Amino acid sequence: MKLNTADVIVVGGGPIGAYAAWQFAAKGLEVVCLEQRKANQAASDIGAFHFEDIAFERTGVPRPKPSQVICDYPDVVVHPPQHDKFVRVSGIHTWALDLTAFIRDLRKSARDAGAVFRYGRQARELLREGNRITGVVAAFGEKEETYRAPVTVDATGLVRSLRRQVPGLDFPGAHRQFNVYMEYWSDADTPPPDGIHSYLGPNTWTARYPGYWIAGMGRELPLDRLKAEHALWFGDLYPGKKKLQRAVTGAIPYAFAPPTLVTDGLLVLGDAAATNKPFNGEGIASGMIPARLAADVLPSAVKAGGSRVALWEINRRYYTDQGAKFAFLLAMGHGLLSLTEDEVMAAFDAGLISAEDLRQTFYNYTVQRPILEWAMPLARLSRRVGVVRKYGAALLRAVQIARHVEKYPTARDFPVWATKYRKLVGHFG
Ligand SMILES: Cc1cc2nc3c(=O)[nH]c(=O)nc-3n(C[C@H](O)[C@H](O)[C@H](O)COP(=O)(O)OP(=O)(O)OC[C@H]3O[C@@H](n4cnc5c(N)ncnc54)[C@H](O)[C@@H]3O)c2cc1C
């Protein structure tokens, strides 16, 4: 392989790009991964992250050695948002691991499978021949390098460096995101309880690690307002002194996936494609699944020159399953976040949010309830017109979007389907 030509150029060596490079190389493809940071720079700044036990099977990532585990939790406790009310979602075994080490291991697996990493390369511009994307131009210090391949992958995270250059991959709301703010505490006067606790409504969570806790909040707010809300919420919940060890800021997508993950010569994955589980947790595992689907399709698609039609099978496999489920969850999430904290409490008390729903969203990325099981709690809430109206509207819209996404079209029928998709998700713009 000449370094500047390959079967696949993956842009972005974060968790999804590194994993994709590994999976593609394991299928015998020549893969070059371009990462803008230096090899010895931390691959991620968030420190610890959570990875559900079931994700090891789904992604093929080997289970960690004991020395790699910060801690593990047998279940997750969800509050609605008051602390004294909760459901324990058991069986959601979750590992806390160090993200920098995790990415380093993914990159090693990719290199062992034959992928080549080129660090300090910032992809700038897509190369095109007519409508077809044929690679990228990357800056390397003062120099420019050209990389060519039948398929280029945008795995650049929320900056979406390449996706932004392709008209048609956006719609109103495509750039919405949650800012995330996490504090690491020690020596707290009133420490959070053991395990992982997640609060619906304020969208906050705490997790206890050996010797410290994290307290996080993710919302669609500017960072300074988010920090103020964080101080207010956690100040009330855990008053008294605590030592701030470090603070972490970041962002996650709060947007629907584009109508297609592929164009001629381009595939979009991970946060760049908003194929990550909406809301907290499992962003990494759920972003890996489309990369795994893509690995099954790419060998033949590359042989066929990386055309949009050859890559289309990735769309079909993604949208008819995880894509439809995430569209449902995201539309429901918008509904949930439109409720006041008091309304979330009422919805919780009436049985609109149950341990079984939460278990299903963790395990299967979906909520499957017979219609009566929605109607009963809604009827119980008949005096809370605001909750019924907001939740009911979200439910109807979520079902409508999910049904549309499930019926993902052929490449030929795509334009009509995409117009309706943009209209449906544009509502959230
Ligand atoms: C505070 C916080 C906590 C989180 N906790 C969890 C958790 O517990 N569990 C979980 O599963 N998920 C968690 N997530 C979400 C998770 O971090 C993301 O879903 C995941 O990092 C997305 O991976 P990615 O590879 O798509 O993008 P990124 O991680 O953003 O990686 C993109 C990579 O591309 C590189 N890049 C960007 N532009 C270019 C360019 N032009 N050229 C070359 N390289 C480029 C970047 O340097 C980076 O290395 C959390 C997120 C935040 C912010």
Side-chain angles (χ1 to χ4, degrees), residues 11-17 34-37 43 46 48-51 99 107 121-124 155-159 161 180-182 205 248-253 269-272 276 281-285:
V11 178
I16 307 305
L34 307 178
E35 167 56 47
Q36 64 187 4
R37 300 194 203 194
I46 68 171
F49 81 110
H50 297 154
F51 201 71
L99 187 52
R107 289 177 179 172
R121 268 69 176 186
Q122 187 180 55
R124 295 257 165 97
T156 60
L158 269 174
V159 290
S161 298
V180 182
Y181 178 65
M182 273 182 355
W205 63 94
V248 172
T249 54
I252 55 170
L269 291 175
D271 275 6
N276 307 66
E282 277 190 279
I284 293 172

Side-chain angles (χ1 to χ4, degrees), residues 251-396:
I252 55 170
Y254 183 50
F256 291 89
T260 169
L261 300 181
V262 306
T263 57
D264 273 318
L266 183 76
L267 166 64
V268 190
L269 291 175
D271 275 6
T275 54
N276 307 66
K277 187 177 175 194
F279 307 115
N280 314 324
E282 277 190 279
I284 293 172
S286 57
M288 285 175 167
I289 290 170
R292 207 166 202 207
L293 300 179
D296 288 335
V297 176
L298 275 181
S300 59
V302 164
K303 256 192 215 140
S307 72
R308 170 176 173 273
V309 171
L311 294 167
W312 202 257
E313 178 62 10
I314 300 171
N315 275 343
R316 194 192 63 74
R317 293 187 192 192
Y318 176 69
Y319 289 95
T320 55
D321 185 33
Q322 183 178 313
K325 291 171 178 174
F326 280 10
F328 179 89
L329 289 186
L330 187 61
M332 286 305 289
H334 275 270
L336 194 63
L337 286 185
S338 71
L339 303 182
T340 62
E341 284 184 15
D342 174 54
E343 287 173 337
V344 176
M345 283 298 303
F348 190 83
D349 286 341
L352 264 186
I353 301 157
S354 71
E356 184 49 30
D357 297 338
L358 294 163
R359 197 184 336 272
Q360 283 186 34
T361 51
F362 275 107
Y363 270 131
N364 303 322
Y365 302 147
T366 189
V367 179
Q368 279 170 341
R369 277 191 183 212
I371 201 78
L372 247 187
E373 286 189 24
W374 290 109
M376 295 287 278
L378 281 170
R380 258 179 244 134
L381 282 163
S382 59
R383 279 199 277 151
R384 303 295 304 257
V385 180
V387 188
V388 175
R389 191 172 44 76
K390 289 189 233 172
Y391 210 85
L395 185 59
L396 288 179

